[in-house]
Amino acid sequence: MKMQNEVAIVTGAASGIGQAVAVQLASEGARVVLVDLNSCEKTIGMLGDAEYLECLGDIRDPEFVKAVINRTIEKYGEIHILVNNAGTASRLDLEDMTLEMWDRDMDTNLKAAFLFTQAVIYPHMKEAGYGRIINISSVSGLNGGVVSGGDEKNGRSGPAYAASKGGIIALTKWVAKEVGKYGITCNSVAPGATATAITAGVPYDTSQQVIDRMGEPNDIANAVMYFASKDASYTTSQVLKVDGGISIG
């Protein structure tokens, strides 16, 4: 078990990619902290005998983030891994984008990642001289939005989503430069079209991909597992595209 007794915080752990990540981490011996706005009951049922802590609340709220970190330290005494996964995705185009929707995506996808990253590093990972931070971005943050079928006007992930995921990539690189001296790595996984609640009901033409299928949450979790492991001790500031080859062009 590569992560025996390590402590991993996973946001958005109730379903989709976060759920798959939490289950895989637990299968490798990690004690998982399940963070979500919604109940993680289904995820908990998939953990077997693994140790876990469930923390429910709004990841955009600095006080909730502090509470998650405090509860984790009180129960386990340390934090080794952080996976910033929770997110929202509007599909409104620029003309129809509202400030409310812009703020929702930016706060959930980018602000929350900043809050958790800051809170786990200072002082916990820094004092321990070890840490693995993995941010789930998106190929939308690299190419300005993955085109899907359906509504011609709003047929791809919107500008707020693309901007927030681009911000995640920039944050990943900035943090990696800052904390490598403390034995902490920071990397990102950039999924393409993946079968989660965010893409439910949205048609994607995967025939344009090298691998002609939708991604599955476990495809993304597999990449996260490498970055979260000690095997990745010399790997930082990377953005790994797990997208079926759509980015090849």
Side-chain angles (χ1 to χ4, degrees), residues 177-200:
K177 290 179 179 180
E178 181 74 7
V179 301
K181 59 193 173 189
Y182 305 133
I184 304 167
T185 64
C186 186
N187 292 286
S188 180
V189 177
T194 305
T196 66
I198 284 179
T199 60

Side-chain angles (χ1 to χ4, degrees), residues 89-93 146 148 153-158 198-199 202 204:
S90 62
R91 293 185 179 276
L92 298 175
D93 70 1
V146 176
S148 63
K153 185 175 175 60
N154 298 306
R156 60 179 168 142
S157 48
I198 284 179
T199 60
V202 180
Y204 284 87

Side-chain angles (χ1 to χ4, degrees), residues 9 22 26 71-72 88 99-100 140 144 151 155 182 189 205 217 239 243:
I9 296 174
R71 287 185 62 192
T72 302
T88 55
L99 182 58
E100 179 183 13
S140 290
D151 187 342
Y182 305 133
V189 177
D205 182 7
V239 181
D243 64 358

Side-chain angles (χ1 to χ4, degrees), residues 223-246:
V224 172
M225 292 298 287
Y226 167 66
F227 285 139
S229 73
K230 291 183 173 64
D231 294 338
S233 63
Y234 197 53
T235 304
T236 198
S237 188
Q238 298 304 301
V239 181
L240 177 57
K241 292 177 282 189
V242 184
D243 64 358
I246 192 64

Side-chain angles (χ1 to χ4, degrees), residues 12-34:
S15 62
I17 293 170
Q19 181 180 85
V21 168
V23 171
Q24 286 205 28
L25 286 168
S27 74
E28 289 291 345
R31 296 167 287 180
V32 290
V33 180
L34 309 171

Side-chain angles (χ1 to χ4, degrees), residues 90 94 97-107 159-160 163:
S90 62
L94 186 62
M97 176 60 60
T98 64
L99 182 58
E100 179 183 13
M101 199 60 72
W102 176 273
D103 287 344
R104 186 199 71 168
D105 285 0
M106 293 295 288
D107 287 353

